[in-house]
């Protein structure tokens, strides 16, 4: 599995919110269910603009 960027992760989570089954997304992108749910816990509800703010906060601490 290749490393996904935060923007790709948010895009995948948006697909799930749109109604695509998690199982199908995991198969499509070659990720495990546990990876998906970890991403959802960390990035769920975020927009790509929120990621920039998160990066700034993480870099500042």
């Amino acid at each position: 599995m290749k490393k996904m960027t935060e923007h790709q992760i948010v895009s995948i989570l948006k697909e799930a919110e749109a109604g695509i089954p998690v199982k199908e997304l995991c198969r499509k992108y070659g990720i495990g269910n546990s990876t998906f749910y970890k991403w959802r816990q960390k990035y769920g509800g975020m927009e790509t603009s929120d990621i920039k703010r998160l990066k700034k906060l993480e870099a500042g601490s």
Side-chain angles (χ1 to χ4, degrees):
M1 180 184 95
K2 67 177 185 152
K3 182 167 169 47
M4 301 274 188
T5 66
E6 284 88 359
H7 297 287
Q8 290 171 319
I9 292 169
V10 169
S11 175
I12 293 168
L13 294 175
K14 293 279 182 207
E15 287 184 51
E17 289 175 12
I20 299 173
V22 172
K23 200 177 221 181
E24 187 177 319
L25 289 171
C26 290
R27 188 173 36 251
K28 179 179 176 181
Y29 294 105
I31 59 174
N33 281 352
S34 61
T35 300
F36 175 86
Y37 289 110
K38 285 178 190 174
W39 287 349
R40 190 167 77 178
Q41 184 178 10
K42 184 172 182 179
Y43 299 106
M46 285 190 176
E47 299 292 332
T48 52
S49 60
D50 296 331
I51 293 172
K52 291 176 186 172
R53 272 185 263 144
L54 178 64
K55 287 259 188 210
K56 280 185 183 179
L57 288 172
E58 287 177 345
S61 55

